[in-house]
């Protein structure tokens, strides 16, 4: 806990009246723990009545209030209500909330020195920033044991983050109805904000972010955070997690700890991805498949079947020369090993994060927090809307609950709504597919080259396939953004309708709904290209159509080099577009232009914070969601684009500092909240990690052209030496309308030629390739899963050092409590035996010795 210096009596009211940039009441002693603002509406009699009752009840709860008149505000419209929680209120609610506070300075060393520590010095921050307060042994606060805790100064014993958390707890449960009325729904600051009684409610920052507070009683932690964390020039420095936790609370601290750890682990994935891509570049000239496609005597003389029924003409194979070279950069032998590496990397990331999380739980006093979170953070909305009561079997007290019939009805409506929106996404994706088919035919109809020339180029380098893929990807991205805008509001509405009991339950329900929607929204187009495009095409004379033969919309075919390059295009556009749009949106917050020239005596601390953006309860939710969606892109489809981790790494280096900049300069100070882990996101990451092994195995088997090439290389090459020469001719089937080799067309499949007794049926090579693909999937999945589970078993979730420290701390706490209770009883017994004891009556010393042995 923060042990600050006692308040000095030097700053007087006159000085503080001259300087409004202060976090104290006018007396210069009482600290402002919370601010409420409101406008004096002409027709606001009801609002005035609510405020009178609410503020009267706040005073009854023990809070102290002070109002700043609108004439003193910059806009001459806004009133500011300053709230201070005195010691008695803080002690009472700290006991209720079981807030852990220090009782003894820790004597456990931080750890052993790391070898070659000098190498990390350029990346480290000063010790006073990394550890803004000493380590203490802590215990839940007990109002009846005041002398047990290290209370040097009651005014500074509870840090500002704890103070604003306690005050918000009171504000969220304080009624605003008269005592003679039993209107249980009229309760809490959230309802008063929703109905406009108050315009905002927030705790204060301790100073301006670009300069220290002139008052020595203020820690100026916001300034230190901006100087050492929020500036982009600090991108290579470690994050001051302890200071973040101290200023913003554990919930925000655990987010930045996870984001920083994820970014660090991305470095290793990015290095391997660059190595894989480099291998593709270095083996560029050895790509015989692309050479055959581009060869005028091979690809230039191979005429392919039209890709649509009416408007498409014949085309030559060498028109896909560029896309085949591009495909080789990502579809090569190194991609297989990279896909397997990523399956193991994601396991290492999750397991090492569990260890890091366990370490933070210990350092931040969150080891026994789970039960406390469940019991003490009941949502005021649940208490208000649930009028039915039942007996709690544990506490034996009456508590509100939602009857089963009402709960089932709400859940059914919620499920139907989520299903409707997911089907809407599928309908939109289907529309994009129809667009691809129709636009491809339109591009093909404007081709004016004859089949004997170099054909099928929209521009100098763009084929109809590439043009269709790029435009469809952009349209799909726009649809994703539009659906996101609407569904976010729908998800919040249906989650509110379910009336979750606790804040944790509320966040988990909203998390699952939003991620399920985002999963379908962002990944469905990639799933289509990876696993459906080109898989159900048919063959000439018996093509498969999307909506039946009469729709004349033939299913899409892949290029002779495979669909992997199109999956890469789709992934790059959607992933990069989302990250760029997100960063631009975050960087263009309305307050970026705020001037630093406002004079302190004219622009008060509460007005400065009032003009900042409000950090909503779901603020962190959207930050997590953005990163988890990115995590899905770099794991589920990474086999198609090995550079995805590098893009994610560059984005996250910027993301950490942009988020830090937002929290420090653009947002009001959030109410401190506790969290001992990342919540439901942990389970989502685990599911994505398992699914990524399956998707990458299927991508390498069915989307990539790797398996057919290997089967040809080792089983079907005609010569004695295993080379890839002749592969293109081997992978294309014949269509001879006049049963003449001169007039034969080619199409991508493994079927018997016309005139064969099994013409247009699949050849034996097709079944060999299919068997090899299935074998590859089984082998890759089993190898990766075995390694994953072995690594998960090998790496314990909690480091042995942390386990030892927890046991050591619990032992010392028990011993210290024992000594405290014994000394307390000794004093009590000594006071009761001041009079000389009668014969036969045991002395206080004797009783103390027996009691010590029993305890």
């Amino acid at each position: 806990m923060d042990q600050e210096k006692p308040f000095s009596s030097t700053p007087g009211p006159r000085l503080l009246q001259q300087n409004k940039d202060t976090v104290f009441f006018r007396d210069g002693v009482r600290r402002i723990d919370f601010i409420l603002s409101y406008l004096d509406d002409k027709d606001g009699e009801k609002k005035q009545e609510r405020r009178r009752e609410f503020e009267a009840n706040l005073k009854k709860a023990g809070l102290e209030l002070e109002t700043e008149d609108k004439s003193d505000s910059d806009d001459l419209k806004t009133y500011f209500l300053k709230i201070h929680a005195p010691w008695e209120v803080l002690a009472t609610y700290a006991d209720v909330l079981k807030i852990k506070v220090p009782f003894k300075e820790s004597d456990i060393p931080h750890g052993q020195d790391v070898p070659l520590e000098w190498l990390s010095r350029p990346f480290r921050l000063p010790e006073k920033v990394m550890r803004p307060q000493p380590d203490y042994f802590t215990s839940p606060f007990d109002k009846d044991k005041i002398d047990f805790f290290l209370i040097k100064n009651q005014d500074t014993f509870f840090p500002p983050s704890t103070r604003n958390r306690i005050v918000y707890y009171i504000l969220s449960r304080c009624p605003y109805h008269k005592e003679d009325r039993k209107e249980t729904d009229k309760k809490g600051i959230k309802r008063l904000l929703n109905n406009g009684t108050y315009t905002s409610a927030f705790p204060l920052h301790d100073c301006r972010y670009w300069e220290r507070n002139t008052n020595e009683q203020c820690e100026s932690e916001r300034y230190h955070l901006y100087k050492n964390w929020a500036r982009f020039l600090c991108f290579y420095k470690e994050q001051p997690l302890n200071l973040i936790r101290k200023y913003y609370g554990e919930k925000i601290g655990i987010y930045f700890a996870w984001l920083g750890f994820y970014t660090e682990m991305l470095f290793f994935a990015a290095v391997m991805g660059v190595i894989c891509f480099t291998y593709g570049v270095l083996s560029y000239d050895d790509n015989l498949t692309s050479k055959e496609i581009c060869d005028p005597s091979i690809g230039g003389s191979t005429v392919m079947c039209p890709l649509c029924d009416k408007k498409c003409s014949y085309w030559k194979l060498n028109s896909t020369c560029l896309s085949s070279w591009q495909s080789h950069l990502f579809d090569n032998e190194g991609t297989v090993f990279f896909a397997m590496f990523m399956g193991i990397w994601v396991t290492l990331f999750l397991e090492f994060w569990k260890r890091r999380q366990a370490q933070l739980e210990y350092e931040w006093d969150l080891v026994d927090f789970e039960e406390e979170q469940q019991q003490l953070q009941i949502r005021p909305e649940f208490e208000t809307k649930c009028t039915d009561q039942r007996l709690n079997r544990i506490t034996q007290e009456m508590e509100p609950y939602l009857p089963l019939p009402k709960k089932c009805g709400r859940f059914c409506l919620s499920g139907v709504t989520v299903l409707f929106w997911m089907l809407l996404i599928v309908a939109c994706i289907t529309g994009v597919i129809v667009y691809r088919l129709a636009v491809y035919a339109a591009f093909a109809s404007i081709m004016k080259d004859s089949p004997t020339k170099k054909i099928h180029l929209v521009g100098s380098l763009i084929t109809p396939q590439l043009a269709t893929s790029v435009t469809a990807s952009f349209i799909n991205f726009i649809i994703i953004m539009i659906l996101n805008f609407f569904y976010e509001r729908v998800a919040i509405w249906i989650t509110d309708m379910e009336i979750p009991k606790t804040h944790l339950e509320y966040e988990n329900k909203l998390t699952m709904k939003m991620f399920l929607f985002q999963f379908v929204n962002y990944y469905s187009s990639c799933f289509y290209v990876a696993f459906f495009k080109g898989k159900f095409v048919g063959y000439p004379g018996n093509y498969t159509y999307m909506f039946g033969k009469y729709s004349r919309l033939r299913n899409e075919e892949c290029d002779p080099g495979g669909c992997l390059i199109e999956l890469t295009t789709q992934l790059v556009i959607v992933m990069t577009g989302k990250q760029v749009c997100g960063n631009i949106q975050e960087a263009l917050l309305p307050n970026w232009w705020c001037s630093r020239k406002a004079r302190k005596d004219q622009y008060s601390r509460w007005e400065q914070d009032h003009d900042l953006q409000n950090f909503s309860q779901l603020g962190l939710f959207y930050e997590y969601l953005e990163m988890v969606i990115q995590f899905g892109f770099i794991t589920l489809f990474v086999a198609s684009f090995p550079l995805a981790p590098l893009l994610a790494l560059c984005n996250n280096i910027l993301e950490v500092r942009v988020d830090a900049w937002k929290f420090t300069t653009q947002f009001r100070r959030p109410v401190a909240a506790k969290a001992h882990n990342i919540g439901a996101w942990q389970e989502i990451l685990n599911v994505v990690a398992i699914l990524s092994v399956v998707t990458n195995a299927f991508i390498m088997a069915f989307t990539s052209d790797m398996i057919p090439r290997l089967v040809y290389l080792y089983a079907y090459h005609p010569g004695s030496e295993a080379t890839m020469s002749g592969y293109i001719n081997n992978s294309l089937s014949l269509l001879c309308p006049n049963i003449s080799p001169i007039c034969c067309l080619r199409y991508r499949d493994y079927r018997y030629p016309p005139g064969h007794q099994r013409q247009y049926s699949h050849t034996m090579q097709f079944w060999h390739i299919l068997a090899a693909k299935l074998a590859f999937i089984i082998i890759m999945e089993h190898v990766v899963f075995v390694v994953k589970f072995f690594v998960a078993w090998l790496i314990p979730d909690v480091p042995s050092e942390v386990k030892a420290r927890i046991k050591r701390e619990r032992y010392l706490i028990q011993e210290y409590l024992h000594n405290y209770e014994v000394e307390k009883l000794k004093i009590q017994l000594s006071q009761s035996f001041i009079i000389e004891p009668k014969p036969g009556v045991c002395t206080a010393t004797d009783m103390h010795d027996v009691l010590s042995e029993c305890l």
Side-chain angles (χ1 to χ4, degrees):
M1 276 291 171
D2 187 18
Q3 299 298 320
E4 303 172 13
K5 296 180 180 180
F7 285 137
S8 171
S9 59
T10 53
R14 182 178 300 176
L15 177 62
L16 291 172
Q17 286 176 358
Q18 294 175 354
N19 181 10
K20 289 186 177 182
D21 190 25
T22 179
V23 293
F24 294 98
F25 275 26
R26 297 190 190 99
D27 57 15
V29 176
R30 292 175 293 171
R31 184 167 189 138
I32 301 173
D33 297 315
F34 227 87
I35 291 288
L36 303 181
S37 67
Y38 60 91
L39 300 174
D40 190 9
D41 300 331
K42 295 181 180 179
D43 300 326
E45 294 183 1
K46 290 185 178 180
K47 295 180 181 179
Q48 293 178 8
E49 179 66 23
R50 295 191 201 112
R51 284 194 291 267
R52 279 195 296 268
E53 295 298 330
F54 186 68
E55 292 170 16
N57 289 328
L58 290 179
K59 291 179 180 179
K60 291 178 183 178
L63 298 178
E64 298 176 2
L65 312 180
E66 186 176 84
T67 304
E68 290 289 332
D69 191 76
K70 66 179 181 180
S71 60
D72 296 327
S73 64
D74 188 56
D75 60 1
L76 301 178
K77 297 179 181 180
T78 307
Y79 291 87
F80 293 95
L81 179 67
K82 299 178 284 188
I83 302 176
H84 169 76
W87 167 258
E88 189 65 26
V89 174
L90 294 173
T92 300
Y93 282 92
D95 193 353
V96 171
L97 296 173
K98 303 300 179 185
I99 294 176
K100 289 187 175 182
V101 294
F103 67 88
K104 183 180 185 297
E105 191 163 345
S106 174
D107 57 0
I108 300 178
H110 293 306
Q112 300 177 351
D113 295 334
V114 180
L116 301 176
E117 185 181 1
W118 59 272
L119 291 174
S120 63
R121 287 177 185 172
F123 309 101
R124 300 188 65 82
L125 293 173
E127 185 68 18
K128 64 179 182 180
V129 176
M130 292 303 298
R131 296 187 179 275
Q133 57 190 9
D135 288 338
Y136 293 100
F137 292 134
T138 59
S139 178
F141 186 80
D142 190 340
K143 194 177 179 181
D144 297 329
K145 298 179 180 178
I146 295 295
D147 54 339
F148 174 70
F149 303 101
L150 290 177
I151 305 178
K152 298 178 181 178
N153 187 337
Q154 291 184 350
D155 293 332
T156 59
F157 179 66
F158 294 105
S161 58
T162 302
R163 297 174 70 100
N164 71 57
R165 178 186 166 207
I166 291 174
V167 172
Y168 185 75
Y169 183 88
I170 299 172
L171 291 174
S172 62
R173 285 159 176 78
C174 183
Y176 55 90
H177 59 79
K178 295 183 178 180
E179 292 184 357
D180 56 345
R181 299 179 183 177
K182 299 296 182 181
E183 298 171 290
T184 57
D185 60 327
K186 292 187 175 183
K187 179 190 296 185
I189 186 63
K190 188 173 182 180
R191 288 181 64 87
L192 291 174
L193 291 172
N194 291 338
N195 60 32
T197 303
Y198 291 99
T199 55
S200 63
F202 54 92
L204 287 179
H205 284 293
D206 60 1
C207 66
R208 301 186 179 196
Y209 66 85
W210 64 87
E211 62 182 357
R212 298 174 185 268
N213 198 312
T214 55
N215 191 331
E216 294 182 356
Q217 301 170 15
C218 292
E219 305 86 346
S220 298
E221 291 174 346
R222 186 189 187 193
Y223 166 78
H224 291 299
L225 286 170
Y226 176 74
K227 180 182 177 182
N228 298 285
W229 178 51
R231 297 187 302 168
F232 183 74
L233 294 178
C234 301
F235 73 92
Y236 63 95
K237 296 280 189 179
E238 61 183 337
Q239 296 188 86
L241 294 178
N242 289 316
L243 185 58
I244 297 170
R245 172 248 181 172
K246 183 173 182 285
Y247 191 73
Y248 291 112
E250 288 79 2
K251 191 171 186 178
I252 292 177
I254 205 78
Y255 164 72
F256 280 103
W258 177 82
L259 179 58
F261 184 82
Y262 171 47
T263 304
E264 292 171 7
M265 291 294 292
L266 273 176
F267 173 78
F268 304 100
V271 170
M272 290 300 298
V274 171
I275 292 174
C276 178
F277 180 76
T278 304
Y279 173 80
V281 173
L282 295 179
S283 60
Y284 202 69
D285 294 333
D286 300 329
N287 182 16
L288 292 178
T289 303
S290 296
K291 288 182 178 180
E292 289 186 353
I293 292 176
C294 300
D295 191 342
S297 62
I298 301 177
S301 62
T302 303
V303 181
M304 305 292 291
C305 291
L307 295 176
C308 58
D309 283 352
K310 284 190 175 182
K311 297 182 179 180
C312 299
S313 61
Y314 306 110
W315 56 285
K316 287 186 178 180
L317 182 61
N318 64 349
S319 65
T320 62
C321 175
L322 179 62
S323 64
S324 68
W325 284 109
Q326 294 170 342
S327 179
H328 175 73
L329 294 176
F330 308 106
D331 188 6
N332 53 67
E333 294 81 1
T335 309
V336 179
F337 297 99
F338 181 66
M340 299 181 71
F341 167 80
M342 287 301 296
I344 300 171
W345 173 88
V346 73
T347 303
L348 292 173
F349 163 63
L350 294 175
E351 291 302 318
F352 282 123
W353 165 245
K354 291 178 185 177
R355 292 170 62 85
R356 177 65 175 139
Q357 188 172 259
Q359 185 178 356
L360 291 176
E361 285 184 23
Y362 166 73
E363 293 177 357
W364 293 355
D365 294 322
L366 300 170
V367 175
D368 301 319
F369 176 68
E370 186 171 4
E371 294 79 9
E372 175 187 333
Q373 173 114 354
Q374 290 287 346
Q375 296 175 6
L376 298 178
Q377 292 196 358
I378 296 178
R379 298 174 66 240
E381 294 84 354
F382 182 84
E383 297 175 337
T384 300
K385 295 179 181 179
C386 297
T387 56
D388 297 283
Q389 299 278 327
R390 69 177 177 185
L391 184 67
N392 188 310
R393 297 180 180 179
I394 300 175
T395 62
Q396 294 297 309
E397 296 178 356
M398 299 300 293
E399 65 174 7
Y401 84 105
L402 188 65
L404 185 60
K406 293 183 180 179
K407 184 181 294 186
C408 291
R410 293 172 184 270
F411 284 174
C412 289
L413 180 58
S414 173
V416 169
T417 305
V418 173
L419 182 61
F420 167 77
W421 278 88
M422 291 178 64
L423 293 176
L424 181 62
I425 296 172
V426 174
C428 291
I429 297 300
T430 305
V432 172
I433 296 172
V434 172
Y435 163 86
R436 298 166 71 106
L437 299 175
V439 169
Y440 180 83
F443 275 130
S445 66
I446 64 175
M447 302 302 164
K448 298 183 180 179
D449 295 40
S450 66
T452 59
K453 297 180 181 179
K454 199 169 185 178
I455 59 172
H456 251 60
L457 292 175
V458 177
S460 59
L461 297 173
I462 304 176
T463 63
Q465 294 96 325
L466 181 60
T468 303
S469 177
V470 171
T471 57
S473 297
F474 275 109
I475 292 174
N476 183 67
F477 176 71
I478 294 172
I479 292 174
I480 287 172
M481 294 293 104
I482 294 174
L483 291 177
N484 274 348
F485 175 79
F486 289 104
Y487 184 76
E488 286 178 4
R489 289 149 180 78
V490 174
I492 294 174
W493 175 75
I494 58 180
T495 306
D496 288 337
M497 181 194 62
E498 292 178 6
I499 320 179
K501 184 176 182 180
T502 65
H503 292 289
L504 181 63
E505 185 181 351
Y506 180 90
E507 291 183 4
N508 288 345
K509 286 179 178 293
L510 183 61
T511 297
M512 297 307 297
K513 291 182 181 67
M514 281 297 296
F515 179 76
L516 190 62
F517 171 80
Q518 299 275 21
F519 184 92
V520 178
N521 198 17
Y522 278 104
Y523 304 144
S524 55
S525 58
C526 293
F527 271 100
Y528 164 74
V529 175
F531 306 123
F532 294 97
K533 182 180 178 181
K535 307 301 186 293
F536 311 99
V537 177
Y539 58 91
N542 189 25
Y543 283 115
T544 304
Y545 294 83
M546 187 172 182
F547 299 111
K549 189 172 183 179
Y550 296 101
S551 67
R552 301 185 182 280
L553 292 175
R554 265 172 49 188
N555 287 348
E556 288 185 280
E557 297 183 38
C558 293
D559 284 340
C563 277
L564 194 69
I565 188 62
E566 187 168 342
L567 177 59
T568 303
T569 304
Q570 181 79 25
L571 182 64
V572 170
I573 290 177
V574 176
M575 177 182 172
T576 307
K578 182 183 185 304
Q579 294 183 162
V580 170
C581 289
N583 288 331
I584 291 176
Q585 184 179 0
E586 291 177 349
L588 295 181
L589 286 170
N591 288 301
W592 67 272
W593 48 265
C594 284
S595 173
R596 297 184 178 185
K597 297 181 180 179
R599 293 177 56 191
K600 294 181 181 179
D601 58 343
Q602 296 179 352
Y603 199 35
S604 63
R605 161 75 11 232
W606 43 90
E607 287 182 278
Q608 294 175 45
D609 287 6
H610 178 264
D611 291 341
L612 298 178
Q613 295 294 300
N614 180 46
F615 183 76
S616 66
Q617 183 183 356
L618 299 176
L620 276 185
F621 168 82
Y622 294 111
E623 302 294 343
Y624 274 118
L625 183 62
E626 179 184 359
M627 288 296 101
V628 172
I629 292 297
Q630 181 203 85
F631 180 80
F633 278 123
I634 68 164
T635 54
L636 293 174
F637 309 102
V638 73
S640 66
F641 187 48
L643 294 180
L646 179 62
L647 294 181
L649 175 64
C650 297
N651 174 81
N652 287 9
I653 291 174
L654 179 64
E655 180 75 21
V656 171
R657 303 304 160 179
V658 169
D659 286 349
W661 174 77
K662 287 191 306 181
F663 274 92
T664 310
T665 68
Q666 303 299 302
F667 283 140
R668 297 170 186 163
R669 185 173 184 173
V671 178
K674 283 185 172 289
H676 74 292
N677 55 32
I678 61 175
W681 299 109
Q682 182 74 43
E683 296 303 320
I684 290 175
L685 292 175
N686 290 331
V687 172
V688 172
I690 295 174
L691 184 60
S692 67
V693 178
V694 179
T695 56
N696 283 299
F698 273 84
I699 287 173
M700 294 307 304
F702 289 98
T703 309
S704 166
D705 211 33
M706 179 64 61
I707 303 300
R709 291 201 298 263
L710 292 177
V711 170
Y712 173 80
L713 181 65
Y714 294 109
Y716 284 89
H717 186 268
S720 58
E721 184 181 356
T723 65
M724 291 301 298
S725 61
Y727 169 72
I728 290 298
N729 182 66
N730 175 266
S731 64
L732 299 176
S733 297
L734 283 170
L735 173 66
C736 302
N738 299 322
I739 316 299
S740 172
I742 300 176
C743 302
C744 287
L745 304 175
R746 310 301 292 271
Y747 61 97
R748 192 171 187 266
D749 206 342
Y750 293 92
R751 295 181 182 273
Y752 289 108
H756 193 278
Q757 59 180 356
R758 298 181 60 190
Q759 63 177 3
Y760 300 127
S761 298
H762 283 121
T763 64
M764 188 57 65
Q765 185 176 354
F766 170 84
W767 298 109
H768 287 166
I769 291 174
L770 180 61
K773 289 179 177 181
L774 297 177
F776 173 82
I777 292 173
I778 294 173
I779 293 173
M780 178 177 172
E781 286 183 356
H782 280 69
V783 169
V784 175
F785 278 132
V786 167
V787 175
K788 280 172 62 71
F789 291 128
F790 176 73
V791 169
W793 170 81
L794 187 65
I795 303 175
D797 292 347
V798 182
S800 57
E801 182 183 358
V802 173
K803 289 182 180 178
R805 284 171 174 262
I806 293 174
K807 292 179 181 179
R808 169 68 175 163
E809 182 168 333
R810 286 176 176 172
Y811 168 76
L812 292 176
I813 291 173
Q814 186 178 12
E815 183 181 33
Y816 200 74
L817 281 170
H818 162 265
N819 294 334
Y820 170 80
E821 294 292 346
V822 168
E823 291 298 325
K824 189 174 181 179
L825 287 173
K826 183 178 178 180
I827 294 173
Q828 293 175 352
L829 292 172
S830 299
Q831 291 175 351
S832 64
F833 282 89
I834 295 178
I835 304 175
E836 184 179 351
K838 296 180 181 180
V841 179
C842 61
T843 63
T845 305
D846 297 333
M847 294 182 65
H848 167 64
D849 293 339
V850 174
L851 184 59
S852 297
E853 293 182 6
C854 294
L855 290 175

